[in-house]
Amino acid sequence: MNDWPQGWSDDNRGPRYGRGSGGAQPEGARVMRQVRRGPAGPPGQRGYGGGVPQQPSYVDGQGYDDGAGYDDYDSGYNTGQVYGGGHGGGFVPNDNDVDPDVGRYRPRPNWRRRIKWTAITVAGVLIVTSVATYFWADSKLRREVDLSTVIDRPETGSGTNYLIVGSDSREGMSKADEKKLHTGGAQGKRTDSMMILHVGDNGDTLISLPRDSDVEVPSYKGSTSGKVYPAKGRHEKLNAAYAEDGPTLLVRTIEYNTGLHIDHYVEIGFQGFANIVDAVGGVDIDIDKGFKDKWSGADFKAGKQTLNGQQALAFVRTRHAFATSDLQRTKNQQKFLAALAHQVATPSTVLNPFKLYPTMGAGLDSLIVDKDMGLWDLASMFWAMKGVSGGDGTSMNMPISGSTGGNLVWDKAKVKTLVSQLKNDEKVTVTGN
């Protein structure tokens, strides 16, 4: 029985594919009608947006033609419209958006968002670094001087008064260091320099107090014993007060002889001073006239030069080479501190962490301050010194009227006027030696 349609036989069915067939050509594909959803996508694109490869049409056993009905199938699957792709009103990709490694579209970078988060990250790092630096620096301050033990203090005035002391402390120095820096090996501590820095609204003023100044030692409370020692009317050189009972008696003596309230105390020794200069890479200074001094190790020629720590210490300590001795030394000290403040504040130091942090570390490790001293107070003192050096303030020696027994006598009238101007934060008109 022939079960094939009329006119068909095994002989005219053409090549067969499948079970029992010797032909390699498949039978016509069975297809489902699809509904066109939109125009065809651009050829050669991949993924949901680009459609699938073009389907062949089959004719006469080889496939079907592109007649009615079957065109809808090709359009629907070839363009990817059945999946919601194509160009029907959404993102229109181009060849540059295709990632060649995965064959998918890369999202366009959102530069505005990237810049925003980069700025937030940088700001966060700066804040964290600043806070960490603050606490690190604050922890290094040696708050060892208690000014609350000073008795019979004068009233505070306007502005802030710092007592800045350079001592001959050999703390942390080896015998080799003492020999190199020409400090000698004397025991105990004395003051090599003393300055009052007044910070106010009408200009800052730096006043050097010669160590040989003749002063009266008042009654005071012992820094270790707590015992009150009555005044005996004795006169000493100013640096003897420090040698007798340290910073608190020095503050008490200065306040008693001037009537000026000291708000903060700052002290640095030989080794610390030299370390700061070396950490900043040396200090540039212009020396007016060359000089030598075997006691300090100074040997300088006139002209511009860069001093390292050892040379800087010799420069600020020399007094035997000058006819005016201590008065010329105080002027050299002011000149050098001004140059040092300028050097530390340069962008090459402030913006270079490899120079800034060693400089801060060397300075903070070496400073001895009062218990109420904060980093902001220290920063204020530093910037005031820089301002004085830049011509925005006044630098001077305490006015001297003469000498007695080798001690320098202050000009009482000028000192009284000077102190009054400082206490009232007025512009200083008094001149010193």
Side-chain angles (χ1 to χ4, degrees):
M1 178 177 178
N2 186 356
D3 55 357
W4 296 99
Q6 185 176 2
W8 283 61
S9 68
D10 289 344
D11 296 330
N12 63 6
R13 283 183 299 166
R16 300 174 62 188
Y17 180 79
R19 185 173 58 186
S21 173
Q25 188 70 26
E27 294 180 346
R30 294 179 178 269
V31 298
M32 296 178 62
R33 292 179 59 84
Q34 302 296 330
V35 179
R36 178 186 298 273
R37 300 291 182 86
Q45 293 200 358
R46 304 170 64 183
Y48 291 141
V52 297
Q54 180 70 31
Q55 301 295 316
S57 60
Y58 298 94
V59 181
D60 295 334
Q62 305 299 318
Y64 296 96
D65 62 12
D66 290 334
Y70 299 107
D71 180 57
D72 289 334
Y73 161 76
D74 292 338
S75 298
Y77 275 91
N78 286 354
T79 64
Q81 298 301 317
V82 295
Y83 297 109
H87 296 205
F91 168 67
V92 181
N94 57 64
D95 292 340
N96 292 331
D97 293 316
V98 178
D99 190 329
D101 295 330
V102 299
R104 297 179 180 176
Y105 296 111
R106 295 190 300 256
R108 296 178 183 273
N110 188 332
W111 289 108
R112 181 177 297 178
R113 186 176 183 182
R114 289 187 180 184
I115 293 173
K116 172 186 173 182
W117 282 107
T118 299
I120 292 174
T121 301
V122 171
V125 170
L126 289 176
I127 292 173
V128 171
T129 302
S130 299
V131 171
T133 299
Y134 177 87
F135 284 105
W136 166 76
D138 188 72
S139 67
K140 283 184 168 293
L141 280 178
R142 299 170 56 183
R143 299 180 174 93
E144 300 177 6
V145 179
D146 187 1
L147 294 182
S148 67
T149 62
V150 179
I151 64 174
D152 300 332
R153 308 192 67 185
E155 293 182 359
T156 59
S158 300
T160 304
N161 299 312
Y162 297 85
L163 178 59
I164 305 170
V165 175
S167 76
D168 65 358
S169 169
R170 293 153 180 83
E171 180 182 1
M173 296 175 63
S174 64
K175 293 297 182 182
D177 291 332
E178 292 176 357
K179 183 177 180 180
K180 175 184 177 182
L181 298 177
H182 297 270
T183 63
Q187 299 300 313
K189 291 197 302 182
R190 284 152 295 276
T191 53
D192 260 26
S193 63
M194 291 161 283
M195 302 179 186
I196 294 175
L197 174 65
H198 174 81
V199 179
D201 296 330
N202 288 294
D204 304 321
T205 306
L206 184 62
I207 309 163
S208 288
L209 310 176
R211 57 176 287 178
D212 293 338
S213 298
D214 183 81
V215 294
E216 181 179 345
V217 180
S219 60
Y220 67 95
K221 185 177 182 179
S223 58
T224 55
S225 66
K227 178 182 177 181
V228 175
Y229 296 88
K232 298 180 179 179
R234 61 189 173 99
H235 282 244
E236 300 282 358
K237 291 182 178 181
L238 183 56
N239 69 332
Y242 180 94
E244 185 173 330
D245 200 42
T248 54
L249 179 54
L250 178 62
V251 170
R252 166 71 174 133
T253 302
I254 291 173
E255 290 186 340
Y256 178 81
N257 285 268
T258 63
L260 187 67
H261 183 92
I262 301 299
D263 298 293
H264 291 294
Y265 178 91
V266 181
E267 177 186 328
I268 188 168
F270 283 161
Q271 185 72 65
F273 180 81
N275 288 344
I276 292 175
V277 175
D278 286 334
V280 81
V283 173
D284 300 328
I285 194 168
D286 189 358
I287 299 178
D288 299 327
K289 185 178 180 181
F291 60 89
K292 292 183 179 182
D293 181 21
K294 67 176 182 179
W295 302 100
S296 66
D299 186 2
F300 299 108
K301 295 181 180 179
K304 295 181 179 180
Q305 49 205 288
T306 301
L307 306 186
N308 60 26
Q310 178 183 348
Q311 294 168 326
L313 189 59
F315 181 80
V316 299
R317 292 184 61 223
T318 297
R319 63 171 178 156
H320 296 287
F322 311 120
T324 55
S325 187
D326 206 34
L327 291 178
Q328 181 60 45
R329 175 165 68 171
T330 57
K331 292 179 181 179
N332 285 347
Q333 290 169 349
Q334 289 181 352
K335 182 174 184 176
F336 185 84
L337 288 178
L340 176 61
H342 176 77
Q343 191 83 9
V344 172
T346 57
S348 63
T349 299
V350 175
L351 300 179
N352 183 354
F354 297 102
K355 184 178 287 188
L356 176 62
Y357 282 95
T359 301
M360 290 179 61
L364 296 172
D365 281 339
S366 308
L367 293 179
I368 295 175
V369 300
D370 65 271
K371 292 183 180 296
D372 295 327
M373 174 73 83
L375 283 180
W376 294 118
D377 299 311
L378 199 61
S380 175
M381 182 194 80
F382 173 80
W383 287 111
M385 291 185 66
K386 181 177 180 295
V388 170
S389 69
D392 295 332
T394 302
S395 60
M396 57 184 289
N397 277 325
M398 185 65 81
I400 303 297
S401 61
S403 63
T404 177
N407 296 353
L408 298 173
V409 179
W410 293 351
D411 187 321
K412 293 183 179 180
K414 286 187 175 182
V415 170
K416 183 177 180 180
T417 302
L418 173 62
V419 171
S420 175
Q421 291 173 342
L422 295 176
K423 292 181 73 171
N424 293 293
D425 198 18
E426 300 172 350
K427 183 175 179 60
V428 172
T429 60
V430 177
T431 57
N433 298 72

